[in-house]
Amino acid sequence: MNLLSLASQIGMIAVFIGIGALLHRMIDFQENVKKAFMTVLIYAAMPAIILDSIFQLPITEDLLMQVLLVFAVSVLIQFTGIFIGWITFKIAKKPRQRRNELAILSGLGNSGFLGIPICALLFGPKGALLAAVFDMGLDVAIWTICIYMLKGEEKFSWKPLKSMLNFPFMAMMTGLALALLGFRPPQFIAETLGILSGLTVPLAMIFIGLMLMQIVKSGNLTRMREVAGTLPLKLILLPSAVIMALFLLFQAGTALPWETAGVFMVQAAMPTFTFAAVIFIYCSADEELAALASVSSTVCSLLTVPLIVSFGSWLLF
């Protein structure tokens, strides 16, 4: 993995976040603007980058095995991250509800809006596809253990899993099915998908920049101490644990394709997931805390992601 290329991509992401922060002066960032950004990202840009990646790759048995592996490991990483957070904040003697909230914020990363574009930039179409599969593991964690912990229900339910049937998920399933049947889109559709997928990085980062300035303007930064403990867990401890696990696998003679190992490393290093505030609102939890954790970890990740990925690349590759 080229360190200069990584630094360049992170710098580009920082520029887009800065543009979003500057636009906050000109845009009344209310619910209708948020909804517009989210609609374009979820219903157009994200499905497009997934389909564009699928149609650029030969769908082989080896690739399908990697897809299954990435999904299984993703679920494991999500649950491990939450467990580490839960243990940490239990030791810190946080109240049960706050402990659950902080554990989720320190365990679940932004594998969609940030992870997919970054993996696409670093590893090409295969990286984008595997990153999208990794993001499915996040969905499983959100709509199972996350809902259970935030709502404080006594009985576990699988019913929320129906919320996983979103546009990116359906795009992946449809694209894989068509690719397995040998379908290749006409030239104009392929070019359209390419243009739409190019919207993902700028739109997602501008949205984060707008969110950042909204948090600053609201004065909610006074609560930073409450989320400070989630930052080292999410941005340093969890990705470091994943890198060491990969290192031990490699030392034991279990070789993973470099794109697959790279996706695990990058996705584990992602900051707190952007949808945290939305999920917290859905569960009647502290959405202000979730929004602050998401934005603050995203800003910190501009420094930690290059360091973690550089260290992992040096150790593994």
Side-chain angles (χ1 to χ4, degrees):
M1 191 182 303
N2 190 298
L3 183 57
L4 183 61
S5 174
L6 174 63
S8 175
Q9 304 304 340
I10 295 296
M12 180 180 65
I13 288 169
V15 169
F16 283 127
I17 292 176
I19 290 172
L22 291 174
L23 285 176
H24 193 274
R25 288 177 168 269
M26 297 177 278
I27 294 176
D28 187 14
F29 194 54
Q30 300 300 323
E31 287 303 316
N32 59 329
V33 179
K34 291 182 186 178
K35 188 174 181 180
F37 269 89
M38 300 295 278
T39 300
V40 174
L41 280 164
I42 293 172
Y43 291 95
M46 296 292 285
I49 197 172
I50 293 169
L51 289 172
D52 186 49
S53 301
I54 289 173
F55 291 135
Q56 290 188 50
L57 294 170
I59 305 300
T60 62
E61 183 179 342
D62 182 60
L63 179 60
L64 292 176
M65 290 302 295
Q66 288 181 56
V67 164
L68 293 174
L69 174 66
V70 168
F71 176 73
V73 172
S74 172
V75 173
L76 177 62
I77 290 174
Q78 317 296 341
F79 280 67
T80 300
I82 292 174
F83 178 73
I84 291 172
W86 190 86
I87 290 293
T88 300
F89 295 112
K90 182 176 176 62
I91 293 172
K93 297 182 179 180
K94 295 290 184 181
R96 179 181 176 184
Q97 180 62 21
R98 181 65 78 219
R99 179 169 71 237
N100 290 347
E101 291 171 350
L102 293 173
I104 289 165
L105 296 174
S106 61
L108 302 184
N110 192 352
S111 55
F113 282 2
L114 262 178
I116 294 175
I118 290 177
C119 288
L121 289 169
L122 294 177
F123 310 115
K126 185 176 180 181
L129 173 60
L130 295 179
V133 174
F134 190 100
D135 191 52
M136 289 171 58
L138 172 70
D139 289 337
V140 170
I142 288 174
W143 298 110
T144 53
I145 189 68
C146 180
I147 299 296
Y148 172 74
M149 292 174 68
L150 291 178
K151 287 191 171 183
E153 297 176 348
E154 294 183 3
K155 293 184 178 180
F156 181 80
S157 174
W158 291 94
K159 288 182 180 179
L161 271 177
K162 64 184 180 182
S163 299
M164 280 186 60
L165 299 176
N166 50 44
F167 259 57
F169 175 82
M170 290 188 287
M172 180 180 300
M173 294 297 99
T174 302
L176 285 173
L178 291 174
L180 284 170
L181 293 173
F183 173 81
R184 286 292 179 269
Q187 181 75 16
F188 78 96
I189 292 181
E191 291 178 357
T192 301
L193 288 173
I195 292 171
L196 282 174
S197 66
L199 295 174
T200 310
V201 174
L203 278 180
M205 297 308 106
I206 288 171
F207 178 76
I208 288 171
L210 288 165
M211 281 185 61
L212 169 63
M213 291 310 296
Q214 186 180 41
I215 293 286
V216 172
K217 189 176 179 181
S218 69
N220 293 336
L221 289 175
T222 56
R223 301 189 65 189
M224 263 303 299
R225 289 182 63 183
E226 295 183 63
V227 300
T230 67
L231 300 179
L233 294 177
K234 181 70 205 73
L235 299 176
I236 299 174
L237 182 59
L238 182 61
S240 296
V242 170
I243 289 171
M244 291 311 299
L246 289 171
F247 177 74
L248 292 175
L249 278 176
F250 285 5
Q251 290 295 103
T254 303
L256 292 177
W258 75 278
E259 299 100 335
T260 303
V263 165
F264 288 149
M265 180 172 57
V266 171
Q267 290 285 45
M270 289 297 101
T272 301
F273 65 120
T274 304
F275 281 126
V278 176
I279 300 302
F280 276 47
I281 291 171
Y282 174 77
C283 297
S284 301
D286 190 342
E287 71 273 13
E288 186 179 279
L289 187 77
L292 182 56
S294 178
V295 172
S296 58
S297 65
T298 299
V299 173
C300 293
S301 71
L302 295 176
L303 174 63
T304 60
V305 169
L307 293 176
I308 288 291
V309 175
S310 298
F311 168 71
S313 301
W314 169 79
L315 186 66
L316 300 176
F317 308 124

